[in-house]
Amino acid sequence: MAVLRSGVDPWLCAGTGCAVLLGGWLASPRGPAPRPRAEAAREARHSLAEALLANIPDPVILIDRRALVIEANAAARALLPTLRAKYPLSFALRDPAVLDGIATVLHTGGPLKTIYAPRVPTERTFEVQIGAMQDAAGSDRPPNVVLFLRDLTSAERLETMRVDFVANASHELRTPLASLLGFIETLQGPARNDPAARERFLGIMREQALRMTRLIDDLLSLSRIELRAHVPPTTPVEVVPLVRQIVDSLNPLALERGVRVTLMAGEGPHRVLGDRDEILRLVENLVENAVKYGGGRVEVAVARLPGAEGRQAQIEVAVRDDGPGIAPEHVPRLTERFYRVDAASSRQQGGTGLGLALVKHILNRHRGRLAIESEPGQGATFRAAIPALPEEPAAARSRPSGGETVP
């Protein structure tokens, strides 16, 4: 039986105490009292109990000894839409661990914990605290049972991300370090007096050291961006000059690979509230990926997208290549850290697996969005959009050129 037993922790004590208090409010008052006064007190306690239960953010369910639902708060009904009062809990929650846990609590009277992990409509994880609750002091009736469900989904996802991140970062660093150590041992031994081998090995060692440097730089950049994710940029930035700067800087790499890069800038202005260095990094990652993994032509377009239905206008940087494209199953995961469609090709090209993760976090900080469009054999288009600043009057600005081509 998949039940996690444990002692009574403070969280469960607090939850059970709240449930006992609710039970006390819902139960009949002790001692003789005039009927009108008793009825009024009972109604007041019942209303207060309902209000308290409704404002508990975690799902809470109260069932009787037959596992029939007595009461549930709004969070529980949202989690289990088929939950109904006076119906068995098993109609809405069919998890064997939870149902066995209820039976155990009714038999022993002691609290316990178990895990409820529904997979539909989305995968989530809850820690279920199950405790017995007498409906009134001195009652000989079997106790009712209260269930508190604490959502652990976010915590588990963060832990999974942390473990995966450490494992991937360690793996990415281990390979170049092993290469460096191997070549150093070779240079100290068999190749000590071989100038040709020494030059070749030193060149490989330099490439591996640069690979580690790029990885560490990307990790540090990602960390800095995440630390400032809650602080939106406040500096007005014109996007077109930054895109032109990146295209010019990557032109030697494009010529070396036989790639033609075209820059098109629509009518402006193209101003956003942004961090200049982060926008440069964003555009650099998108264009460099297209040059390295695309085909023979890369189109970079900057356009102002008008707002619609009350939405703010956007400045969009679209980077399109005519390469092999990306299979649909890979597209949703492209912005994950260290995720690669072709790991061997990415490492051979000097990629760290963090470029699109950086793009995603930069756009999150700028309150922007990333859209990826691709079909196998049809190339890929990456669209990064950031909220635009309001346009200035036409007389206060000059109209930019329609477009330009970078050879």
Side-chain angles (χ1 to χ4, degrees):
M1 183 170 60
V3 175
L4 306 178
R5 297 181 181 273
S6 69
V8 181
D9 62 23
W11 191 93
L12 181 57
C13 288
T16 307
C18 177
V20 171
L21 182 59
L22 287 174
W25 281 332
L26 293 171
S28 299
R30 290 176 290 170
R35 184 166 184 79
R37 184 178 174 185
E39 290 291 342
R42 185 182 299 114
E43 290 178 3
R45 280 192 291 268
H46 185 76
S47 298
L48 185 59
E50 285 186 339
L52 178 61
L53 193 64
N55 284 280
I56 296 175
D58 292 316
V60 182
I61 305 171
L62 180 65
I63 61 174
D64 65 13
R65 61 191 181 280
R66 298 171 297 171
L68 300 181
V69 177
I70 299 174
E71 188 59 82
N73 67 350
R77 291 192 294 271
L79 175 65
L80 305 169
T82 57
L83 195 67
R84 297 289 184 272
K86 300 180 181 180
Y87 281 79
L89 176 65
S90 58
F91 284 11
L93 195 159
R94 297 184 175 90
D95 188 81
V98 175
L99 299 177
D100 289 345
I102 293 170
T104 301
V105 168
L106 286 171
H107 179 70
T108 64
L112 59 79
K113 299 178 187 178
T114 189
I115 296 297
Y116 172 53
R119 297 290 180 263
V120 178
T122 58
E123 189 170 331
R124 302 177 70 182
T125 302
F126 293 87
E127 180 185 67
V128 185
Q129 310 266 357
I130 308 174
M133 184 185 74
Q134 293 289 348
D135 59 353
S139 173
D140 293 331
R141 298 172 58 188
N144 295 326
V145 175
V146 62
L147 289 80
F148 290 84
L149 288 79
R150 182 167 54 177
D151 195 345
L152 304 180
T153 306
S154 297
E156 287 207 342
R157 286 177 181 168
L158 286 173
E159 180 63 17
T160 300
M161 288 177 59
R162 185 190 67 81
V163 171
D164 289 346
F165 177 78
V166 172
N168 286 319
S170 300
H171 175 75
E172 293 295 331
L173 289 170
R174 184 186 297 115
T175 301
L177 280 174
S179 298
L180 286 172
L181 289 173
F183 286 123
I184 289 171
E185 291 174 359
T186 303
L187 289 173
Q188 290 176 333
R192 182 190 302 269
N193 299 315
D194 187 340
R198 183 168 59 248
E199 288 301 317
R200 181 162 53 89
F201 291 161
L202 287 174
I204 298 173
M205 292 167 65
R206 181 177 182 276
E207 290 179 2
Q208 296 298 325
L210 288 174
R211 176 180 167 186
M212 285 192 294
T213 300
R214 287 193 297 269
L215 177 60
I216 291 170
D217 286 345
D218 282 353
L219 289 172
L220 291 174
S221 297
L222 195 56
S223 177
R224 284 193 295 266
I225 294 167
E226 286 182 321
L227 285 174
R228 296 183 294 176
H230 64 288
V231 182
T234 57
T235 304
V237 176
E238 176 62 44
V239 174
V240 173
L242 303 185
V243 177
R244 185 181 296 112
Q245 177 182 335
I246 293 299
V247 170
D248 290 342
S249 67
L250 290 175
N251 190 42
L253 176 66
L255 291 174
E256 179 184 329
R257 295 169 180 264
V259 178
R260 183 178 180 83
V261 181
T262 301
L263 171 61
M264 295 295 295
E267 293 188 357
H270 303 92
R271 298 171 72 245
V272 301
L273 290 179
D275 184 300
R276 184 179 184 277
D277 291 337
E278 290 183 6
I279 294 177
L280 280 171
R281 191 67 178 271
L282 179 154
V283 177
E284 180 184 28
N285 284 334
L286 292 180
V287 178
E288 186 175 10
N289 280 352
V291 170
K292 286 182 176 179
Y293 309 113
R297 186 177 74 252
V298 173
E299 299 173 356
V300 184
V302 184
R304 184 184 184 93
L305 306 181
E309 299 179 358
R311 296 179 182 176
Q312 189 174 355
Q314 305 274 314
I315 301 300
E316 180 187 80
V317 179
V319 180
R320 174 177 173 76
D321 64 69
D322 60 351
I326 304 166
E329 63 268 21
H330 294 297
V331 172
R333 301 190 61 189
L334 288 178
T335 57
E336 293 181 13
R337 301 176 187 185
F338 298 109
Y339 186 81
R340 295 180 171 97
V341 175
D342 185 342
S345 174
S346 176
R347 293 191 180 98
Q348 185 179 0
Q349 300 284 1
T352 64
L354 294 172
L356 290 178
L358 280 166
V359 168
K360 180 185 74 172
H361 285 281
I362 290 171
L363 286 172
N364 286 344
R365 185 178 178 228
H366 286 73
R367 309 306 186 254
R369 57 180 175 80
L370 176 67
I372 304 173
E373 305 164 2
S374 182
E375 293 183 14
Q378 301 296 320
T381 302
F382 291 78
R383 302 181 184 277
I386 299 175
L389 283 175
E391 291 190 68
E392 298 176 356
R397 58 180 172 85
S398 60
R399 299 178 69 86
S401 59
E404 59 183 288
T405 299
V406 180

